[in-house]
Amino acid sequence: DAGITQSPRHKVTETGTPVTLRCHQTENHRYMYWYRQDPGHGLRLIHYSYGVKDTDKGEVSDGYSVSRSKTEDFLLTLESATSSQTSVYFCAISETGGKGQYFGPGTRLTVT
Amino acid sequence: AQSVTQLDSHVSVSEGTPVLLRCNYSSSYSPSLFWYVQHPNKGLQLLLKYTSAATLVKGINGFEAEFKKSETSFHLTKPSAHMSDAAEYFCVVRDKTDKLIFGTGTRLQVFP
């Protein structure tokens, strides 16, 4: 497996609380991505980064923010969690934008 | 806009019989296409990718896919299913901004 870790792996939180998920890579890849996976939707892109401090929105970015202060770390923040953000979150990395992406193990988030 | 349609949400086969997972794509230019596999409670693993070289692409674990432009298809096949192939499979197209667009997935069941 590519060197990608996600933390935490599981989290339960209450509506209205802030939550930060971390993705860490040891591959020195330029591109990093955050997706959410929900039944019937496949994976949907939340945000992505094409370099340190360079980020952009994906398909389902409302309610989420990201930061990338170092090549190896990409943080996803839910400013005020809602039940609709209960999902499994995957981080991915890619050496270039055109190559295949490699995925982390996922974080299961439950918002009660 | 680019998109993929996975024609079957579930496919069931017996061990030792062929596997066919169907995917049609929509693209205004020659696309890059991928198949990913996700085993239960795991992240996604890249099976194979098509990037305009040979139309028959061989991947890991005995899987292959054929790009057919005339049919706008990229079906995934394997001659003989194994129990360990039971998983969810995603067909994916890369859009012109290098982001990945995922299909909704096909769940493969393999019976002994």
Side-chain angles (χ1 to χ4, degrees), chain A residues 9 31 33 35 37 40-43 45 48 57-58 90 97-106 108, chain B residues 32 34 36 38 41-46 49 51 88 90 94-95 97-105:
Chain A
R9 294 292 314 280
Y31 291 80
Y33 308 80
Y35 293 87
Q37 183 177 29
H41 290 279
L43 272 76
L45 181 66
Y48 66 103
K57 296 179 180 180
F90 287 98
K99 289 192 174 182
Q101 296 174 14
Y102 298 91
F103 285 79
R108 184 174 296 276
Chain B
S32 292
F34 307 82
Y36 281 84
Q38 184 180 29
N41 299 313
K42 300 289 187 184
L44 281 79
Q45 182 182 18
L46 180 63
K49 60 184 177 183
T51 55
E88 187 147 23
F90 293 95
R94 177 170 63 93
D95 76 7
T97 63
D98 286 337
K99 294 194 285 292
L100 299 186
I101 309 297
F102 283 76
T104 52

Side-chain angles (χ1 to χ4, degrees), chain A residues 4 21 34 44 64 70 92 108:
Chain A
I4 313 170
L21 309 182
W34 276 108
R44 293 179 291 174
Y64 302 94
K70 298 185 290 185
R108 184 174 296 276

Side-chain angles (χ1 to χ4, degrees), chain A residues 68-105:
Chain A
R68 192 170 178 199
S69 59
K70 298 185 290 185
T71 298
E72 57 266 34
D73 289 325
F74 192 32
L75 304 180
L76 176 71
T77 297
L78 291 66
E79 303 289 349
S80 177
T82 68
S83 58
S84 65
Q85 293 175 312
T86 292
S87 187
V88 181
Y89 291 85
F90 287 98
C91 174
I93 65 173
S94 178
E95 189 174 2
T96 70
K99 289 192 174 182
Q101 296 174 14
Y102 298 91
F103 285 79

